[in-house]
Amino acid sequence: MPGAALTDTWGGARSQGRKHEGIDIFAKRNTPIRATTEGVVLNVGPNGLGGRTVMILGPGGQRHYYAHLERYPDLKSGDWVKAGDVVGTVGDSGNARGTPPHLHYGIYMAGGAINPYSLLRRGN
């Protein structure tokens, strides 16, 4: 997301004793969000914490999670996306309602969440 601030928010305290398992990238509402990897769309739809979300299964079994979206394009489970394809737009859905618009981006492996910050920094 060109012009978006990239700050490492991994591990920050969250409600109910949770830790932040991803990073928040703040940008203007409706800024396009581009896939960080190629892969298969696992799901598109709402959940309690993330609101409008997209999950993509990338190389090596990594699951890439995009949350708090304002809207998403015509994506469905099983679709193939390439790195750079638009997977949604920045919003404040889910438990982020009322906060400044942002993307919550997380990467999950079999052993749990990993911090995506250094991976995104390398790509800049």
Short mmCIF file of all heavy atoms in Angstrom, two decimals, residues 10-84:
data_model
loop_
_atom_site.label_atom_id
_atom_site.label_comp_id
_atom_site.label_asym_id
_atom_site.label_seq_id
_atom_site.Cartn_x
_atom_site.Cartn_y
_atom_site.Cartn_z
N TRP A 10 3.75 -6.00 16.27
CA TRP A 10 3.71 -7.39 16.71
C TRP A 10 3.83 -7.48 18.23
O TRP A 10 4.66 -6.81 18.84
CB TRP A 10 4.86 -8.16 16.06
CG TRP A 10 5.03 -9.56 16.56
CD1 TRP A 10 5.84 -9.98 17.57
CD2 TRP A 10 4.37 -10.73 16.09
NE1 TRP A 10 5.73 -11.33 17.74
CE2 TRP A 10 4.82 -11.82 16.84
CE3 TRP A 10 3.42 -10.95 15.09
CZ2 TRP A 10 4.37 -13.12 16.63
CZ3 TRP A 10 2.98 -12.25 14.88
CH2 TRP A 10 3.46 -13.30 15.65
N GLY A 11 3.02 -8.33 18.83
CA GLY A 11 3.15 -8.65 20.25
C GLY A 11 2.52 -7.67 21.20
O GLY A 11 2.54 -7.88 22.41
N GLY A 12 1.94 -6.58 20.69
CA GLY A 12 1.29 -5.60 21.56
C GLY A 12 0.12 -6.21 22.31
O GLY A 12 -0.53 -7.15 21.84
N ALA A 13 -0.15 -5.70 23.50
CA ALA A 13 -1.25 -6.21 24.33
C ALA A 13 -2.59 -5.94 23.66
O ALA A 13 -2.80 -4.89 23.06
CB ALA A 13 -1.21 -5.54 25.70
N ARG A 14 -3.48 -6.91 23.76
CA ARG A 14 -4.84 -6.80 23.23
C ARG A 14 -5.82 -7.24 24.30
O ARG A 14 -5.43 -7.78 25.33
CB ARG A 14 -5.01 -7.66 21.96
CG ARG A 14 -4.18 -7.18 20.76
CD ARG A 14 -4.63 -5.78 20.34
NE ARG A 14 -4.02 -5.30 19.13
CZ ARG A 14 -2.95 -4.50 19.08
NH1 ARG A 14 -2.36 -4.12 20.18
NH2 ARG A 14 -2.49 -4.07 17.93
N SER A 15 -7.10 -7.05 24.05
CA SER A 15 -8.12 -7.40 25.03
C SER A 15 -8.06 -8.88 25.38
O SER A 15 -7.57 -9.71 24.61
CB SER A 15 -9.51 -7.04 24.48
OG SER A 15 -9.80 -7.81 23.33
N GLN A 16 -8.57 -9.20 26.55
CA GLN A 16 -8.69 -10.57 27.05
C GLN A 16 -7.33 -11.28 27.14
O GLN A 16 -7.22 -12.48 26.95
CB GLN A 16 -9.66 -11.37 26.19
CG GLN A 16 -11.04 -10.77 26.20
CD GLN A 16 -11.92 -11.28 25.08
OE1 GLN A 16 -11.45 -11.87 24.12
NE2 GLN A 16 -13.21 -11.03 25.21
N GLY A 17 -6.26 -10.51 27.40
CA GLY A 17 -4.94 -11.07 27.60
C GLY A 17 -4.25 -11.56 26.33
O GLY A 17 -3.22 -12.22 26.41
N ARG A 18 -4.82 -11.23 25.18
CA ARG A 18 -4.22 -11.67 23.92
C ARG A 18 -3.01 -10.79 23.56
O ARG A 18 -2.86 -9.70 24.06
CB ARG A 18 -5.23 -11.56 22.76
CG ARG A 18 -6.40 -12.48 22.88
CD ARG A 18 -7.42 -12.29 21.75
NE ARG A 18 -7.93 -10.91 21.72
CZ ARG A 18 -7.77 -10.06 20.70
NH1 ARG A 18 -7.14 -10.41 19.62
NH2 ARG A 18 -8.27 -8.84 20.77
N LYS A 19 -2.16 -11.32 22.69
CA LYS A 19 -1.04 -10.57 22.11
C LYS A 19 -1.35 -10.37 20.63
O LYS A 19 -1.96 -11.24 19.99
CB LYS A 19 0.29 -11.33 22.26
CG LYS A 19 0.72 -11.54 23.69
CD LYS A 19 1.32 -10.29 24.24
CE LYS A 19 1.88 -10.57 25.63
NZ LYS A 19 2.23 -9.39 26.33
N HIS A 20 -0.90 -9.26 20.08
CA HIS A 20 -1.13 -8.96 18.67
C HIS A 20 -0.31 -9.88 17.79
O HIS A 20 0.91 -9.88 17.86
CB HIS A 20 -0.76 -7.49 18.41
CG HIS A 20 -1.29 -6.96 17.13
ND1 HIS A 20 -0.52 -6.23 16.28
CD2 HIS A 20 -2.51 -7.04 16.57
CE1 HIS A 20 -1.25 -5.87 15.24
NE2 HIS A 20 -2.46 -6.35 15.40
N GLU A 21 -0.98 -10.70 16.98
CA GLU A 21 -0.31 -11.68 16.12
C GLU A 21 -0.33 -11.19 14.68
O GLU A 21 -0.91 -11.81 13.79
CB GLU A 21 -1.00 -13.04 16.22
CG GLU A 21 -0.80 -13.71 17.55
CD GLU A 21 -1.36 -15.11 17.58
OE1 GLU A 21 -2.22 -15.47 16.74
OE2 GLU A 21 -0.93 -15.87 18.46
N GLY A 22 0.29 -10.08 14.45
CA GLY A 22 0.37 -9.49 13.12
C GLY A 22 0.83 -8.07 13.24
O GLY A 22 1.32 -7.65 14.30
N ILE A 23 0.70 -7.33 12.15
CA ILE A 23 1.01 -5.91 12.20
C ILE A 23 -0.18 -5.14 11.64
O ILE A 23 -0.94 -5.66 10.81
CB ILE A 23 2.32 -5.54 11.46
CG1 ILE A 23 2.24 -5.85 9.98
CG2 ILE A 23 3.51 -6.24 12.10
CD1 ILE A 23 3.42 -5.31 9.19
N ASP A 24 -0.34 -3.92 12.10
CA ASP A 24 -1.39 -3.04 11.61
C ASP A 24 -0.74 -2.01 10.69
O ASP A 24 0.24 -1.36 11.07
CB ASP A 24 -2.10 -2.33 12.76
CG ASP A 24 -2.93 -3.29 13.60
OD1 ASP A 24 -3.37 -4.32 13.06
OD2 ASP A 24 -3.16 -2.98 14.78
N ILE A 25 -1.30 -1.88 9.50
CA ILE A 25 -0.78 -0.93 8.51
C ILE A 25 -1.88 0.10 8.29
O ILE A 25 -2.93 -0.20 7.71
CB ILE A 25 -0.40 -1.64 7.20
CG1 ILE A 25 0.61 -2.75 7.48
CG2 ILE A 25 0.14 -0.62 6.20
CD1 ILE A 25 0.86 -3.67 6.30
N PHE A 26 -1.64 1.31 8.78
CA PHE A 26 -2.64 2.37 8.71
C PHE A 26 -2.57 3.08 7.36
O PHE A 26 -1.50 3.38 6.86
CB PHE A 26 -2.43 3.36 9.86
CG PHE A 26 -2.74 2.74 11.19
CD1 PHE A 26 -1.79 2.02 11.89
CD2 PHE A 26 -4.01 2.85 11.73
CE1 PHE A 26 -2.08 1.42 13.10
CE2 PHE A 26 -4.32 2.24 12.94
CZ PHE A 26 -3.35 1.54 13.62
N ALA A 27 -3.74 3.30 6.79
CA ALA A 27 -3.83 3.96 5.48
C ALA A 27 -5.24 4.54 5.35
O ALA A 27 -6.13 4.23 6.16
CB ALA A 27 -3.55 2.97 4.36
N LYS A 28 -5.46 5.34 4.34
CA LYS A 28 -6.77 5.91 4.10
C LYS A 28 -7.78 4.81 3.80
O LYS A 28 -7.45 3.81 3.15
CB LYS A 28 -6.72 6.89 2.93
CG LYS A 28 -5.96 8.16 3.24
CD LYS A 28 -5.83 9.05 2.03
CE LYS A 28 -7.20 9.57 1.65
NZ LYS A 28 -7.15 10.58 0.58
N ARG A 29 -9.01 5.02 4.28
CA ARG A 29 -10.09 4.09 4.00
C ARG A 29 -10.19 3.86 2.49
O ARG A 29 -10.04 4.77 1.70
CB ARG A 29 -11.42 4.63 4.54
CG ARG A 29 -12.58 3.65 4.40
CD ARG A 29 -13.87 4.21 4.99
NE ARG A 29 -13.72 4.63 6.37
CZ ARG A 29 -13.74 3.82 7.43
NH1 ARG A 29 -13.91 2.52 7.26
NH2 ARG A 29 -13.59 4.29 8.65
N ASN A 30 -10.44 2.62 2.11
CA ASN A 30 -10.60 2.18 0.72
C ASN A 30 -9.30 2.14 -0.08
O ASN A 30 -9.33 1.94 -1.29
CB ASN A 30 -11.66 3.01 -0.02
CG ASN A 30 -13.04 2.70 0.51
OD1 ASN A 30 -13.39 1.54 0.71
ND2 ASN A 30 -13.82 3.74 0.76
N THR A 31 -8.14 2.30 0.59
CA THR A 31 -6.87 2.08 -0.10
C THR A 31 -6.81 0.61 -0.52
O THR A 31 -7.08 -0.27 0.29
CB THR A 31 -5.68 2.40 0.83
OG1 THR A 31 -5.75 3.78 1.21
CG2 THR A 31 -4.35 2.11 0.15
N PRO A 32 -6.45 0.32 -1.78
CA PRO A 32 -6.36 -1.08 -2.20
C PRO A 32 -5.30 -1.85 -1.41
O PRO A 32 -4.22 -1.33 -1.14
CB PRO A 32 -5.97 -1.00 -3.68
CG PRO A 32 -6.35 0.37 -4.11
CD PRO A 32 -6.19 1.24 -2.89
N ILE A 33 -5.64 -3.08 -1.06
CA ILE A 33 -4.72 -3.99 -0.38
C ILE A 33 -4.31 -5.05 -1.40
O ILE A 33 -5.16 -5.69 -2.00
CB ILE A 33 -5.40 -4.67 0.83
CG1 ILE A 33 -5.82 -3.62 1.85
CG2 ILE A 33 -4.50 -5.73 1.44
CD1 ILE A 33 -6.80 -4.13 2.87
N ARG A 34 -3.01 -5.22 -1.56
CA ARG A 34 -2.51 -6.15 -2.56
C ARG A 34 -1.93 -7.39 -1.88
O ARG A 34 -1.28 -7.29 -0.84
CB ARG A 34 -1.45 -5.48 -3.42
CG ARG A 34 -2.05 -4.28 -4.16
CD ARG A 34 -1.19 -3.76 -5.26
NE ARG A 34 -1.84 -2.66 -5.94
CZ ARG A 34 -2.71 -2.81 -6.93
NH1 ARG A 34 -3.04 -4.01 -7.35
NH2 ARG A 34 -3.27 -1.75 -7.49
N ALA A 35 -2.18 -8.54 -2.47
CA ALA A 35 -1.66 -9.81 -1.94
C ALA A 35 -0.14 -9.75 -1.87
O ALA A 35 0.51 -9.27 -2.79
CB ALA A 35 -2.10 -10.97 -2.81
N THR A 36 0.41 -10.23 -0.78
CA THR A 36 1.86 -10.25 -0.60
C THR A 36 2.48 -11.49 -1.22
O THR A 36 3.71 -11.57 -1.30
CB THR A 36 2.21 -10.22 0.90
OG1 THR A 36 1.58 -11.34 1.53
CG2 THR A 36 1.74 -8.92 1.54
N THR A 37 1.66 -12.43 -1.65
CA THR A 37 2.15 -13.70 -2.18
C THR A 37 1.14 -14.26 -3.17
O THR A 37 -0.03 -13.88 -3.17
CB THR A 37 2.35 -14.72 -1.04
OG1 THR A 37 2.96 -15.90 -1.55
CG2 THR A 37 1.04 -15.08 -0.36
N GLU A 38 1.61 -15.19 -3.97
CA GLU A 38 0.66 -15.96 -4.77
C GLU A 38 0.08 -17.04 -3.89
O GLU A 38 0.66 -17.40 -2.86
CB GLU A 38 1.37 -16.60 -5.97
CG GLU A 38 2.39 -17.66 -5.57
CD GLU A 38 3.09 -18.28 -6.77
OE1 GLU A 38 2.97 -17.76 -7.89
OE2 GLU A 38 3.76 -19.29 -6.56
N GLY A 39 -1.08 -17.54 -4.26
CA GLY A 39 -1.66 -18.62 -3.48
C GLY A 39 -3.12 -18.85 -3.79
O GLY A 39 -3.70 -18.23 -4.68
N VAL A 40 -3.71 -19.74 -3.01
CA VAL A 40 -5.11 -20.12 -3.15
C VAL A 40 -5.90 -19.44 -2.03
O VAL A 40 -5.51 -19.49 -0.86
CB VAL A 40 -5.27 -21.65 -3.05
CG1 VAL A 40 -6.74 -22.06 -3.08
CG2 VAL A 40 -4.50 -22.34 -4.15
N VAL A 41 -7.01 -18.84 -2.39
CA VAL A 41 -7.89 -18.22 -1.40
C VAL A 41 -8.55 -19.33 -0.58
O VAL A 41 -9.20 -20.22 -1.14
CB VAL A 41 -8.96 -17.33 -2.08
CG1 VAL A 41 -9.93 -16.79 -1.04
CG2 VAL A 41 -8.31 -16.21 -2.87
N LEU A 42 -8.31 -19.29 0.74
CA LEU A 42 -8.93 -20.28 1.63
C LEU A 42 -10.33 -19.85 2.04
O LEU A 42 -11.23 -20.66 2.10
CB LEU A 42 -8.07 -20.49 2.88
CG LEU A 42 -6.74 -21.19 2.69
CD1 LEU A 42 -6.00 -21.28 4.02
CD2 LEU A 42 -6.94 -22.58 2.09
N ASN A 43 -10.46 -18.57 2.39
CA ASN A 43 -11.79 -18.08 2.74
C ASN A 43 -11.87 -16.57 2.57
O ASN A 43 -10.87 -15.87 2.63
CB ASN A 43 -12.24 -18.53 4.14
CG ASN A 43 -11.33 -18.07 5.23
OD1 ASN A 43 -10.69 -17.04 5.15
ND2 ASN A 43 -11.24 -18.85 6.29
N VAL A 44 -13.08 -16.12 2.36
CA VAL A 44 -13.42 -14.71 2.24
C VAL A 44 -14.69 -14.54 3.05
O VAL A 44 -15.69 -15.22 2.79
CB VAL A 44 -13.70 -14.31 0.77
CG1 VAL A 44 -14.12 -12.85 0.68
CG2 VAL A 44 -12.48 -14.57 -0.10
N GLY A 45 -14.66 -13.67 4.04
CA GLY A 45 -15.88 -13.47 4.81
C GLY A 45 -15.60 -12.93 6.19
O GLY A 45 -14.45 -12.75 6.58
N PRO A 46 -16.65 -12.69 6.92
CA PRO A 46 -16.52 -12.06 8.23
C PRO A 46 -16.15 -13.04 9.34
O PRO A 46 -16.46 -14.22 9.27
CB PRO A 46 -17.92 -11.48 8.48
CG PRO A 46 -18.83 -12.40 7.73
CD PRO A 46 -18.05 -12.86 6.52
N ASN A 47 -15.47 -12.50 10.34
CA ASN A 47 -15.31 -13.21 11.61
C ASN A 47 -15.34 -12.16 12.72
O ASN A 47 -15.23 -10.96 12.45
CB ASN A 47 -14.08 -14.12 11.65
CG ASN A 47 -12.77 -13.39 11.73
OD1 ASN A 47 -12.62 -12.41 12.46
ND2 ASN A 47 -11.78 -13.87 11.01
N GLY A 48 -15.49 -12.60 13.96
CA GLY A 48 -15.71 -11.68 15.07
C GLY A 48 -14.64 -10.64 15.28
O GLY A 48 -14.91 -9.46 15.39
N LEU A 49 -13.39 -11.06 15.34
CA LEU A 49 -12.30 -10.12 15.60
C LEU A 49 -11.89 -9.36 14.34
O LEU A 49 -11.71 -8.15 14.37
CB LEU A 49 -11.08 -10.84 16.17
CG LEU A 49 -11.22 -11.43 17.56
CD1 LEU A 49 -9.97 -12.20 17.95
CD2 LEU A 49 -11.50 -10.34 18.58
N GLY A 50 -11.73 -10.05 13.25
CA GLY A 50 -11.19 -9.45 12.03
C GLY A 50 -12.18 -8.71 11.17
O GLY A 50 -11.79 -7.98 10.28
N GLY A 51 -13.48 -8.92 11.41
CA GLY A 51 -14.47 -8.30 10.55
C GLY A 51 -14.43 -8.94 9.17
O GLY A 51 -14.41 -10.16 9.05
N ARG A 52 -14.35 -8.11 8.14
CA ARG A 52 -14.24 -8.63 6.77
C ARG A 52 -12.80 -9.09 6.56
O ARG A 52 -11.87 -8.30 6.70
CB ARG A 52 -14.63 -7.56 5.77
CG ARG A 52 -16.09 -7.19 5.84
CD ARG A 52 -16.45 -6.09 4.84
NE ARG A 52 -17.73 -5.53 5.18
CZ ARG A 52 -17.90 -4.43 5.92
NH1 ARG A 52 -16.87 -3.76 6.36
NH2 ARG A 52 -19.11 -4.01 6.20
N THR A 53 -12.62 -10.36 6.20
CA THR A 53 -11.28 -10.94 6.11
C THR A 53 -11.09 -11.75 4.84
O THR A 53 -12.06 -12.21 4.22
CB THR A 53 -10.99 -11.87 7.31
OG1 THR A 53 -11.86 -13.01 7.23
CG2 THR A 53 -11.18 -11.16 8.64
N VAL A 54 -9.81 -11.91 4.48
CA VAL A 54 -9.40 -12.80 3.40
C VAL A 54 -8.22 -13.61 3.93
O VAL A 54 -7.32 -13.05 4.57
CB VAL A 54 -8.98 -12.01 2.14
CG1 VAL A 54 -8.37 -12.93 1.08
CG2 VAL A 54 -10.17 -11.26 1.55
N MET A 55 -8.22 -14.92 3.65
CA MET A 55 -7.10 -15.79 4.02
C MET A 55 -6.60 -16.47 2.76
O MET A 55 -7.40 -17.06 2.02
CB MET A 55 -7.53 -16.84 5.05
CG MET A 55 -6.44 -17.81 5.47
SD MET A 55 -5.38 -17.18 6.77
CE MET A 55 -6.44 -17.35 8.19
N ILE A 56 -5.28 -16.38 2.53
CA ILE A 56 -4.66 -16.97 1.35
C ILE A 56 -3.62 -17.98 1.79
O ILE A 56 -2.78 -17.67 2.65
CB ILE A 56 -4.01 -15.88 0.46
CG1 ILE A 56 -5.10 -14.94 -0.06
CG2 ILE A 56 -3.22 -16.52 -0.69
CD1 ILE A 56 -4.56 -13.72 -0.79
N LEU A 57 -3.66 -19.16 1.21
CA LEU A 57 -2.65 -20.19 1.46
C LEU A 57 -1.54 -20.00 0.44
O LEU A 57 -1.74 -20.17 -0.76
CB LEU A 57 -3.26 -21.59 1.32
CG LEU A 57 -2.29 -22.76 1.51
CD1 LEU A 57 -1.73 -22.77 2.93
CD2 LEU A 57 -3.00 -24.07 1.19
N GLY A 58 -0.35 -19.61 0.93
CA GLY A 58 0.78 -19.34 0.06
C GLY A 58 1.78 -20.48 0.05
O GLY A 58 1.56 -21.54 0.66
N PRO A 59 2.91 -20.26 -0.63
CA PRO A 59 3.96 -21.27 -0.70
C PRO A 59 4.42 -21.70 0.70
O PRO A 59 4.44 -20.89 1.63
CB PRO A 59 5.08 -20.57 -1.45
CG PRO A 59 4.41 -19.48 -2.21
CD PRO A 59 3.25 -19.05 -1.36
N GLY A 60 4.79 -22.95 0.84
CA GLY A 60 5.28 -23.44 2.12
C GLY A 60 4.21 -23.61 3.17
O GLY A 60 4.51 -23.81 4.34
N GLY A 61 2.94 -23.50 2.78
CA GLY A 61 1.86 -23.69 3.73
C GLY A 61 1.57 -22.49 4.61
O GLY A 61 0.79 -22.58 5.55
N GLN A 62 2.18 -21.34 4.32
CA GLN A 62 1.89 -20.14 5.10
C GLN A 62 0.50 -19.63 4.76
O GLN A 62 0.12 -19.56 3.60
CB GLN A 62 2.91 -19.04 4.81
CG GLN A 62 4.30 -19.35 5.30
CD GLN A 62 5.26 -18.21 5.01
OE1 GLN A 62 5.04 -17.38 4.13
NE2 GLN A 62 6.34 -18.16 5.75
N ARG A 63 -0.25 -19.28 5.81
CA ARG A 63 -1.57 -18.68 5.63
C ARG A 63 -1.44 -17.18 5.86
O ARG A 63 -1.00 -16.75 6.92
CB ARG A 63 -2.57 -19.31 6.59
CG ARG A 63 -2.89 -20.76 6.21
CD ARG A 63 -3.67 -21.49 7.27
NE ARG A 63 -2.78 -21.69 8.43
CZ ARG A 63 -3.12 -21.51 9.70
NH1 ARG A 63 -4.33 -21.15 10.03
NH2 ARG A 63 -2.24 -21.70 10.66
N HIS A 64 -1.82 -16.40 4.87
CA HIS A 64 -1.72 -14.94 4.91
C HIS A 64 -3.11 -14.38 5.18
O HIS A 64 -4.04 -14.62 4.42
CB HIS A 64 -1.15 -14.41 3.59
CG HIS A 64 0.22 -14.91 3.33
ND1 HIS A 64 1.34 -14.12 3.51
CD2 HIS A 64 0.69 -16.12 2.93
CE1 HIS A 64 2.42 -14.83 3.22
NE2 HIS A 64 2.05 -16.04 2.87
N TYR A 65 -3.21 -13.62 6.28
CA TYR A 65 -4.50 -13.17 6.81
C TYR A 65 -4.60 -11.65 6.69
O TYR A 65 -3.74 -10.92 7.21
CB TYR A 65 -4.58 -13.60 8.27
CG TYR A 65 -5.81 -13.19 9.04
CD1 TYR A 65 -7.07 -13.67 8.69
CD2 TYR A 65 -5.70 -12.37 10.14
CE1 TYR A 65 -8.19 -13.33 9.42
CE2 TYR A 65 -6.81 -12.02 10.89
CZ TYR A 65 -8.06 -12.50 10.52
OH TYR A 65 -9.16 -12.17 11.26
N TYR A 66 -5.64 -11.20 6.01
CA TYR A 66 -5.90 -9.78 5.79
C TYR A 66 -7.22 -9.46 6.49
O TYR A 66 -8.26 -10.03 6.14
CB TYR A 66 -6.03 -9.48 4.30
CG TYR A 66 -4.83 -9.95 3.48
CD1 TYR A 66 -4.72 -11.27 3.06
CD2 TYR A 66 -3.81 -9.06 3.14
CE1 TYR A 66 -3.63 -11.70 2.32
CE2 TYR A 66 -2.72 -9.48 2.39
CZ TYR A 66 -2.64 -10.80 1.99
OH TYR A 66 -1.56 -11.22 1.25
N ALA A 67 -7.21 -8.53 7.46
CA ALA A 67 -8.40 -8.29 8.27
C ALA A 67 -8.73 -6.81 8.40
O ALA A 67 -7.90 -5.95 8.14
CB ALA A 67 -8.21 -8.89 9.66
N HIS A 68 -9.94 -6.54 8.85
CA HIS A 68 -10.53 -5.21 9.05
C HIS A 68 -10.81 -4.51 7.72
O HIS A 68 -10.80 -3.29 7.63
CB HIS A 68 -9.66 -4.32 9.95
CG HIS A 68 -9.32 -4.93 11.27
ND1 HIS A 68 -10.26 -5.55 12.06
CD2 HIS A 68 -8.14 -5.03 11.92
CE1 HIS A 68 -9.67 -6.00 13.16
NE2 HIS A 68 -8.39 -5.71 13.11
N LEU A 69 -11.10 -5.31 6.69
CA LEU A 69 -11.32 -4.76 5.37
C LEU A 69 -12.63 -3.97 5.28
O LEU A 69 -13.60 -4.27 5.98
CB LEU A 69 -11.34 -5.88 4.32
CG LEU A 69 -10.16 -6.87 4.34
CD1 LEU A 69 -10.31 -7.89 3.24
CD2 LEU A 69 -8.84 -6.14 4.23
N GLU A 70 -12.64 -2.99 4.42
CA GLU A 70 -13.86 -2.25 4.11
C GLU A 70 -14.71 -3.06 3.13
O GLU A 70 -15.90 -3.18 3.28
CB GLU A 70 -13.50 -0.89 3.50
CG GLU A 70 -14.70 0.00 3.21
CD GLU A 70 -15.37 0.52 4.47
OE1 GLU A 70 -14.78 0.53 5.57
OE2 GLU A 70 -16.53 0.94 4.34
N ARG A 71 -14.03 -3.60 2.13
CA ARG A 71 -14.72 -4.44 1.14
C ARG A 71 -13.69 -5.32 0.45
O ARG A 71 -12.49 -5.10 0.59
CB ARG A 71 -15.50 -3.61 0.13
CG ARG A 71 -14.64 -2.67 -0.71
CD ARG A 71 -15.46 -1.85 -1.71
NE ARG A 71 -16.57 -1.17 -1.09
CZ ARG A 71 -16.55 0.09 -0.69
NH1 ARG A 71 -15.47 0.82 -0.88
NH2 ARG A 71 -17.59 0.64 -0.13
N TYR A 72 -14.18 -6.31 -0.29
CA TYR A 72 -13.28 -7.15 -1.06
C TYR A 72 -13.81 -7.27 -2.48
O TYR A 72 -15.00 -7.10 -2.73
CB TYR A 72 -13.07 -8.55 -0.49
CG TYR A 72 -13.93 -9.00 0.64
CD1 TYR A 72 -15.28 -9.25 0.49
CD2 TYR A 72 -13.37 -9.20 1.88
CE1 TYR A 72 -16.05 -9.69 1.55
CE2 TYR A 72 -14.13 -9.65 2.94
CZ TYR A 72 -15.46 -9.89 2.77
OH TYR A 72 -16.20 -10.33 3.82
N PRO A 73 -12.89 -7.61 -3.40
CA PRO A 73 -13.35 -7.83 -4.78
C PRO A 73 -14.09 -9.16 -4.87
O PRO A 73 -14.30 -9.83 -3.86
CB PRO A 73 -12.04 -7.86 -5.58
CG PRO A 73 -11.02 -8.33 -4.60
CD PRO A 73 -11.46 -7.81 -3.26
N ASP A 74 -14.44 -9.55 -6.05
CA ASP A 74 -15.18 -10.79 -6.27
C ASP A 74 -14.23 -11.98 -6.11
O ASP A 74 -13.74 -12.53 -7.09
CB ASP A 74 -15.82 -10.76 -7.66
CG ASP A 74 -16.72 -11.96 -7.90
OD1 ASP A 74 -17.15 -12.58 -6.91
OD2 ASP A 74 -16.97 -12.27 -9.07
N LEU A 75 -13.93 -12.33 -4.86
CA LEU A 75 -13.06 -13.47 -4.54
C LEU A 75 -13.89 -14.54 -3.86
O LEU A 75 -14.84 -14.23 -3.14
CB LEU A 75 -11.96 -13.06 -3.56
CG LEU A 75 -10.78 -12.26 -4.06
CD1 LEU A 75 -9.87 -11.92 -2.88
CD2 LEU A 75 -10.01 -13.00 -5.12
N LYS A 76 -13.48 -15.79 -4.06
CA LYS A 76 -14.13 -16.90 -3.35
C LYS A 76 -13.10 -17.98 -3.07
O LYS A 76 -12.03 -18.02 -3.68
CB LYS A 76 -15.31 -17.44 -4.14
CG LYS A 76 -14.97 -18.03 -5.48
CD LYS A 76 -16.23 -18.42 -6.23
CE LYS A 76 -15.93 -18.96 -7.61
NZ LYS A 76 -15.02 -18.20 -8.42
N SER A 77 -13.42 -18.85 -2.15
CA SER A 77 -12.54 -19.97 -1.82
C SER A 77 -12.18 -20.73 -3.07
O SER A 77 -13.04 -21.00 -3.91
CB SER A 77 -13.21 -20.91 -0.82
OG SER A 77 -13.37 -20.28 0.41
N GLY A 78 -10.89 -21.07 -3.20
CA GLY A 78 -10.41 -21.83 -4.34
C GLY A 78 -9.84 -20.97 -5.45
O GLY A 78 -9.16 -21.47 -6.34
N ASP A 79 -10.11 -19.66 -5.42
CA ASP A 79 -9.54 -18.77 -6.44
C ASP A 79 -8.03 -18.70 -6.28
O ASP A 79 -7.50 -18.79 -5.16
CB ASP A 79 -10.10 -17.34 -6.32
CG ASP A 79 -11.52 -17.21 -6.85
OD1 ASP A 79 -12.03 -18.17 -7.47
OD2 ASP A 79 -12.11 -16.14 -6.64
N TRP A 80 -7.33 -18.52 -7.38
CA TRP A 80 -5.88 -18.35 -7.39
C TRP A 80 -5.59 -16.86 -7.49
O TRP A 80 -6.18 -16.16 -8.30
CB TRP A 80 -5.25 -19.08 -8.57
CG TRP A 80 -3.77 -18.93 -8.62
CD1 TRP A 80 -3.06 -18.04 -9.40
CD2 TRP A 80 -2.79 -19.65 -7.87
NE1 TRP A 80 -1.72 -18.17 -9.16
CE2 TRP A 80 -1.52 -19.16 -8.23
CE3 TRP A 80 -2.87 -20.66 -6.91
CZ2 TRP A 80 -0.34 -19.65 -7.68
CZ3 TRP A 80 -1.70 -21.14 -6.36
CH2 TRP A 80 -0.45 -20.64 -6.75
N VAL A 81 -4.70 -16.35 -6.61
CA VAL A 81 -4.27 -14.96 -6.69
C VAL A 81 -2.77 -14.92 -6.91
O VAL A 81 -2.04 -15.84 -6.50
CB VAL A 81 -4.66 -14.13 -5.45
CG1 VAL A 81 -6.16 -14.03 -5.29
CG2 VAL A 81 -4.04 -14.71 -4.19
N LYS A 82 -2.33 -13.89 -7.56
CA LYS A 82 -0.90 -13.64 -7.74
C LYS A 82 -0.49 -12.53 -6.79
O LYS A 82 -1.31 -11.69 -6.40
CB LYS A 82 -0.62 -13.21 -9.19
CG LYS A 82 -0.98 -14.27 -10.22
CD LYS A 82 -0.70 -13.78 -11.62
CE LYS A 82 -1.43 -12.54 -11.92
NZ LYS A 82 -2.38 -12.43 -12.92
N ALA A 83 0.79 -12.49 -6.43
CA ALA A 83 1.31 -11.38 -5.63
C ALA A 83 0.97 -10.09 -6.36
O ALA A 83 1.19 -9.98 -7.57
CB ALA A 83 2.81 -11.52 -5.42
N GLY A 84 0.41 -9.14 -5.64
CA GLY A 84 0.05 -7.85 -6.23
C GLY A 84 -1.41 -7.73 -6.60
O GLY A 84 -1.89 -6.61 -6.83
#
